[in-house]
Amino acid sequence: MTNIRQVVGGSLTAFAAVGFAGSLLPAPAFGQSVDDRALSDLRVDNVGGCTTLTVNFNIRVQLLSYFPHGSGRQLRIRVQPLDPVQGVMGKESLRPPATYDALQAVEFDGSDANGGVLTLTFTHDVGFDVEAGERAQSLVLKLSGPAGCQAAGTAAATPAATGRPALPPVTVPPGLYVVNLASQAGTMMALSEPQKRAIAGQVAYQTQSERDAQHWHRLRLGFFATREEAEAARKRLAGFFPDAWTLKVTDDERAAGISGRIDTGSIDTGRGSTGAGTAPTAATTEADRAETAQLTSDAEQAIKEGNLDRAVQLLANATAKPESDRTPRALELLALTHERKGQTAHAQAEYEDYLRRFPSGEAAERVRQRLASLAAPADGTPQLRAASGATRAATAWRWGARGSFSQFYYRDQSTTKALDATRSQVGPDVDNSVNLNQLVTSADVTVTGGNDRTQLQLRAAGSYSKSFGTPFNLVTTNAAGQVISRVGSGNSKDLESLTALYVDWTDRDLGVSARIGRQTRNSAGVLGRFDGGLVGWQASPKLRVNFVAGFPVLSSHQMEVLNKRPFYGVSVDFGRKRDTLQTSLYWFDQHVAGGFVDRRSVGIETRFLKKNFNAFALIDYDVKFKRLNLGLITLNYSFPDHSTISATADYRQSPLLTTSNALYGMFTTDPQPQAILDLRGLRPFFTDQQIYQLAKDRTLVSKSLTLAYSRPLTSKLQANVDFNLTDTGGTPDTPATAGTGQVFGQPAIGKEYYYGAQLVGSGLLWSNDIYILSGRYADTHTTHVYTADINARVPLTRKFRLSPRLRYGYRTNKFDAGNFRQFQPTLQANWYPFRHGEVEVEFGGNFTRENSYTGGSLTRTTESGYVITAGYRLDF
């Protein structure tokens, strides 16, 4: 475990002294944290116009609630971190995906006392549903447009619902297995006539996915009840689609694929010859004509702004109206927009529908040219490979890059006045301090290469903090109090941070993956960031074997490899990713210089996932110390009325039990006191068995129970309540020896109680605004703490948002008359000048008053100050 002691004077020192209970009090508001990130990355999958967004974290999280339900332009998701985090989580953001332009911003705030809050901001109203992901480190968001997405198991959407012409009826067989006919990075090319005939009368649909700068379009054919049936179909079609492969999809993809299927039923005779795709139209009214014109005009504006998702939704509604003289323009624009989005199969279908319905005129000739360009592109983009041996689109390597760059300036300045009440005739001591004055530059770059089956990824992420004359000390120590890095010594010092630097390789055909370098893992005994390698082998669809080895990284500021504490581990995962029950068994072994076993654990992790219920359990048992190191179980249930209840029980050694814990507080006395920083330095005074016992003595037990309940009161108002009980034990004294001093134990804290309530409202004053009113109370070992917080997020325009916030905290001591008050007003402004750019400015005040007693003497301390954050983020 890493202990980072940061001494900056003024308000920050005061907050550090408050301790865990004081974390409920307001703290200075700063932007994105540079120490450790909770967010990892995003994955976007689109099938039939329905989008699934997977948010991956570096830590395990429990979904508590989300608001609003149904739709909106802002989505607020509350999560509870299940893993210990190095330092205090702050504000983070992820680059919005290029293939889903309705998403404007993805932000995470881990500093909220009510739990971590993930906020997504959209450019227009979007329908959403939130679920726990396949892994405990992920959340899944199902996003839809005005027409919505179908629930699993329903029939295909009607033409009126989708804005598409009626398709010839086909028989939809049961099952979840499909054949992935073809894959291509970028734009999916049109099918040849032989390929069309080969799949005529069957369910074919197109998918899109984006992750780590790779955009893949895939054409799939379904559905089959067993993998054997799918394999037989693949072999039958191998002459037309030689790069095909089989897989099992989800119920949601099946439903969306049926809804968004491509017209394959009329290929043999030609769509124009039968007219099978023509839907009957109702009588057109002047109101319908005017509405079609308005929807088309709004779509043209959305296209100019680069919001293609919005344009597709508007044009789908326009083409669903009864046919009029305004329909041709809407239909042509719909096809063109699909083409620009890379949805070639959909664009081809719309162009063909246009020519069937409106075969003459200048626009018809233009549409014929666009349709011809899809079949034979002029830019040399490779076609889907046919039996003739053309370019292999699925196996040709493609390269891409994505990244983000940000610079933020932070300033915290205060004036502190301390008055000794017993000497009122003496004026107060005044301290004018610049507690923080620095510029943080951060970058995160990922380069990817590969094809549909093999992927290579190189990633580097870090930051550089430039301090401007701030008295700043930073000492990083390990679990034993051993100094890893020292920065400062009372003077300003710049800081470097390296959060990720690795190479990742995946081969789906072989079922093998490998990652080497600085990376983060929170499973199978590895609890956080490390320098090393991770190799996995998918032995069967339901069995995966993983091997990990390396050295722990105790802080992102650690710029060297900590090679004195090597570890290795082996784990076996049972169950497919989408199975209801998934289980992992692992062995973890870590050593430390001197031949000591630092940690040797066996463990089990189990995940149970259903539509309205999910559970996660973890047991880590140290076979060397014969103690339970970590036990965790978390449950979450969603009711039909969208209310949710969750419970988490946690038992753990704190810090995590390792032999290095024996070094806590140890020092030699001859010739002068000096800290012992290496376990080998204890051997002159203790036997190895005594050293192992010292490690157990220096480690306490921490237990906690958390309950949370969320319930929507109205469509615009939601209530959240939570309760947390902690029980923290103590450690015994270690007597002095002939060469070491006495180490005093830590008294048990006992039970502490935390209560919270929150009201969240949306659309109360302005459209799509969000307001959060919360209150908390803590009954700790030494204090009573009360806090109140009101926060708002008001989008004044699509590109500009204001977020005012007021926080007040009050603390009273149990064993004397001391108390502490704090008031913090802040105002944050966010401006999005273009798709992947953001400017953020935040200004806040910090006003405190404290009465403290030392030896019966009263000291009154007041502080007033301000904090400023200003910066920008650029994504590419």
Side-chain angles (χ1 to χ4, degrees):
M1 179 177 180
T2 301
N3 177 29
I4 299 179
R5 298 190 300 272
Q6 187 170 311
V7 184
V8 294
S11 61
L12 296 184
T13 305
F15 286 115
V18 172
F20 180 59
S23 67
L24 296 175
L25 292 169
F30 295 120
Q32 181 167 321
S33 172
V34 298
D35 284 337
D36 291 283
R37 290 180 57 86
L39 292 175
S40 176
D41 57 44
L42 294 174
R43 177 188 172 97
V44 180
D45 296 282
N46 183 281
V47 183
C50 297
T51 300
T52 300
L53 179 69
T54 303
V55 182
N56 295 307
F57 291 79
N58 289 320
I59 58 175
R60 287 170 285 215
V61 295
Q62 168 70 291
L63 172 64
L64 298 179
S65 65
Y66 68 94
F67 183 82
H69 293 276
S71 63
R73 295 190 184 182
Q74 292 191 71
L75 175 60
R76 187 177 186 272
I77 306 171
R78 292 176 62 230
V79 298
Q80 177 184 340
L82 300 179
D83 293 313
V85 180
Q86 297 177 345
V88 178
M89 291 189 297
K91 295 181 180 180
E92 305 177 21
S93 66
L94 286 176
R95 175 187 183 273
T99 55
Y100 188 68
D101 50 21
L103 183 58
Q104 186 177 60
V106 180
E107 300 164 305
F108 179 76
D109 187 352
S111 62
D112 196 310
N114 298 286
V117 177
L118 178 68
T119 303
L120 288 85
T121 304
F122 302 92
T123 58
H124 58 269
D125 284 351
V126 170
F128 35 67
D129 186 31
V130 183
E131 299 176 355
E134 298 168 355
R135 303 180 305 131
Q137 292 97 332
S138 65
L139 296 176
V140 174
L141 289 72
K142 298 177 181 179
L143 310 174
S144 61
C149 285
Q150 289 182 272
T154 62
T158 64
T162 64
R164 299 172 54 204
L167 300 182
V170 297
T171 301
V172 182
L176 294 176
Y177 288 94
V178 301
V179 179
N180 192 94
L181 298 173
S183 304
Q184 187 157 313
T187 300
M188 175 65 74
M189 301 311 300
L191 299 178
S192 66
E193 288 301 321
Q195 289 172 325
K196 290 181 182 181
R197 287 192 291 270
I199 61 174
Q202 302 177 71
V203 177
Y205 63 94
Q206 184 175 331
T207 74
Q208 297 181 68
S209 66
E210 175 188 354
R211 186 177 185 180
D212 296 327
Q214 288 283 346
H215 305 167
W216 282 97
H217 293 249
R218 296 183 173 93
L219 181 65
R220 291 177 173 173
L221 184 75
F223 292 89
F224 304 94
T226 65
R227 185 179 293 274
E228 289 72 21
E229 292 180 11
E231 275 294 321
R234 181 192 67 81
K235 293 176 181 178
R236 187 172 62 253
L237 295 168
F240 302 96
F241 302 96
D243 299 318
W245 43 279
T246 61
L247 73 155
K248 186 178 182 180
V249 299
T250 63
D251 289 328
D252 289 328
E253 179 169 328
R254 171 187 164 89
I258 295 172
S259 173
R261 66 185 176 91
I262 300 168
D263 183 4
T264 62
S266 58
I267 291 174
D268 286 328
T269 59
R271 296 180 63 170
S273 62
T274 65
T278 305
T281 59
T284 305
T285 66
E286 188 60 33
D288 291 329
R289 182 176 178 275
E291 189 170 354
T292 301
Q294 184 60 52
L295 289 169
T296 305
S297 176
D298 293 343
E300 290 174 333
Q301 182 61 35
I303 293 172
K304 291 179 181 178
E305 296 175 353
N307 195 341
L308 300 184
D309 286 328
R310 176 64 170 163
V312 167
Q313 294 166 3
L314 292 167
L315 292 168
N317 289 338
T319 55
K321 295 291 179 184
E323 188 174 302
S324 69
D325 60 336
R326 305 289 186 175
T327 303
R329 175 61 174 164
L331 187 56
E332 181 186 1
L333 278 177
L334 179 59
L336 181 61
T337 308
H338 277 305
E339 183 180 349
R340 288 184 178 179
K341 284 172 61 63
Q343 299 170 331
T344 308
H346 289 296
Q348 184 178 14
E350 303 298 351
Y351 282 138
E352 291 175 349
D353 183 46
Y354 183 101
L355 295 175
R356 185 181 67 253
R357 297 166 64 181
F358 314 106
S360 60
E362 180 182 348
E365 183 59 31
R366 184 169 62 242
V367 168
R368 287 189 181 91
Q369 293 175 3
R370 295 302 311 167
L371 183 59
S373 70
L374 291 180
D379 60 0
T381 304
Q383 300 277 347
L384 297 179
R385 185 164 79 100
S388 60
T391 303
R392 300 190 60 168
T395 57
W397 270 55
R398 303 268 179 161
W399 290 92
R402 68 170 177 87
S404 62
F405 179 84
S406 67
Q407 284 189 308
F408 277 82
Y409 173 73
Y410 303 95
R411 185 179 181 89
D412 175 9
Q413 183 168 325
S414 64
T415 299
T416 304
K417 298 179 181 180
L419 176 64
D420 187 344
T422 62
R423 303 169 58 197
S424 56
Q425 69 278 8
V426 180
D429 295 329
V430 180
D431 177 26
N432 294 300
S433 301
V434 177
N435 307 309
L436 188 61
N437 186 18
Q438 65 179 13
L439 178 68
V440 179
T441 302
S442 303
D444 187 343
V445 179
T446 300
V447 177
T448 58
N451 52 41
D452 195 39
R453 308 302 293 160
T454 305
Q455 289 285 315
L456 177 67
Q457 180 187 115
L458 300 91
R459 184 186 175 207
S463 66
Y464 181 78
S465 302
K466 173 66 177 178
S467 295
F468 302 101
T470 305
F472 191 91
N473 290 303
L474 177 68
V475 178
T476 305
T477 64
N478 60 18
Q482 184 176 4
V483 175
I484 300 171
S485 62
R486 185 189 305 275
V487 180
S489 301
N491 300 312
S492 64
K493 186 68 177 181
D494 302 336
L495 292 175
E496 297 174 329
S497 175
L498 181 64
T499 55
L501 182 63
Y502 60 77
V503 177
D504 185 284
W505 176 74
T506 302
D507 190 313
R508 291 183 176 86
D509 290 328
L510 298 177
V512 175
S513 65
R515 177 176 291 187
I516 300 175
R518 176 161 293 190
Q519 55 191 290
T520 300
R521 179 173 171 86
N522 271 291
S523 62
V526 183
L527 302 176
R529 188 174 287 117
F530 69 97
D531 293 323
L534 171 65
V535 178
W537 174 49
Q538 194 73 44
S540 73
K542 289 191 174 184
L543 181 66
R544 182 177 181 84
V545 180
N546 306 285
F547 177 78
V548 63
F551 311 93
V553 175
L554 306 180
S555 167
S556 59
H557 297 294
Q558 176 186 316
M559 304 304 291
E560 68 280 350
V561 176
L562 191 63
N563 55 16
K564 293 183 179 180
R565 297 180 69 179
F567 70 81
Y568 75 91
V570 178
S571 63
V572 181
D573 304 334
F574 300 93
R576 293 185 178 92
K577 288 183 178 180
R578 300 182 178 94
D579 284 354
T580 299
L581 182 64
Q582 305 165 45
T583 301
S584 297
L585 302 176
Y586 66 84
W587 167 273
F588 184 88
D589 199 344
Q590 180 168 300
H591 292 255
V592 69
F596 292 96
V597 175
D598 204 28
R599 178 183 163 216
R600 180 172 290 164
S601 296
V602 294
I604 180 172
E605 299 175 6
T606 299
R607 173 89 163 165
F608 183 84
L609 189 62
K610 295 287 284 184
K611 173 67 176 177
N612 295 319
F613 176 76
N614 67 85
F616 175 77
L618 165 64
I619 293 177
D620 184 286
Y621 182 80
D622 196 300
V623 297
K624 173 64 179 178
F625 290 102
K626 295 181 173 57
R627 281 191 180 183
L628 179 64
N629 221 340
L630 174 61
L632 172 71
I633 183 169
T634 178
L635 312 169
N636 181 273
Y637 182 77
S638 299
F639 296 92
D641 63 354
H642 296 296
S643 60
T644 61
I645 187 170
S646 63
T648 301
D650 185 298
Y651 176 100
R652 67 181 66 211
Q653 305 288 326
S654 182
L656 196 69
L657 180 55
T658 65
T659 306
S660 297
N661 292 4
L663 293 172
Y664 273 130
M666 297 301 298
F667 62 96
T668 59
T669 57
D670 186 23
Q672 60 183 7
Q674 184 174 358
I676 301 176
L677 303 179
D678 192 305
L679 287 174
R680 291 170 293 188
L682 293 176
R683 277 180 167 154
F685 315 105
F686 302 95
T687 66
D688 284 5
Q689 284 303 115
Q690 289 174 324
I691 292 174
Y692 286 122
Q693 183 61 44
L694 283 175
K696 291 193 280 188
D697 290 344
R698 300 269 64 80
T699 307
L700 54 82
V701 174
S702 174
K703 296 173 282 186
S704 69
L705 173 66
T706 302
L707 302 174
Y709 178 71
S710 173
R711 181 182 180 85
L713 302 179
T714 69
S715 60
K716 294 185 177 182
L717 194 64
Q718 176 176 281
N720 306 315
V721 294
D722 62 83
F723 166 75
N724 180 251
L725 166 65
T726 64
D727 188 354
T728 307
T731 59
D733 293 343
T734 299
T737 67
T740 64
Q742 179 180 4
V743 178
F744 293 99
Q746 181 176 340
I749 294 176
K751 293 181 175 61
E752 297 184 320
Y753 305 87
Y754 303 85
Y755 308 83
Q758 187 178 77
L759 280 176
V760 184
S762 177
L764 301 181
L765 298 179
W766 288 275
S767 175
N768 296 297
D769 55 8
I770 288 184
Y771 302 91
I772 305 104
L773 175 63
S774 61
R776 301 195 65 82
Y777 166 67
D779 182 3
T780 74
H781 179 60
T782 59
T783 64
H784 296 282
V785 183
Y786 310 82
T787 62
D789 187 341
I790 182 169
N791 185 16
R793 294 170 63 92
V794 183
L796 299 182
T797 69
R798 192 174 65 86
K799 294 186 176 183
F800 187 75
R801 183 183 73 231
L802 284 180
S803 301
R805 186 172 189 178
L806 295 175
R807 288 172 285 183
Y808 177 78
Y810 177 63
R811 185 192 72 226
T812 61
N813 298 339
K814 288 186 175 181
F815 303 110
D816 59 38
N819 56 68
F820 178 84
R821 294 176 174 84
Q822 184 176 34
F823 175 64
Q824 274 199 327
T826 61
L827 179 63
Q828 177 179 311
N830 294 79
W831 177 44
Y832 303 92
F834 46 86
R835 168 79 172 122
H836 292 300
E838 178 186 3
V839 177
E840 177 181 313
V841 178
E842 183 174 11
F843 179 80
N846 181 44
F847 308 95
T848 69
R849 181 183 298 272
E850 180 177 18
N851 293 322
S852 59
Y853 289 85
T854 304
S857 175
L858 171 63
T859 299
R860 293 191 176 96
T861 304
T862 60
E863 179 181 329
S864 60
Y866 67 88
V867 292
I868 294 176
T869 300
Y872 64 91
R873 297 184 183 94
L874 298 175
D875 299 320
F876 57 89

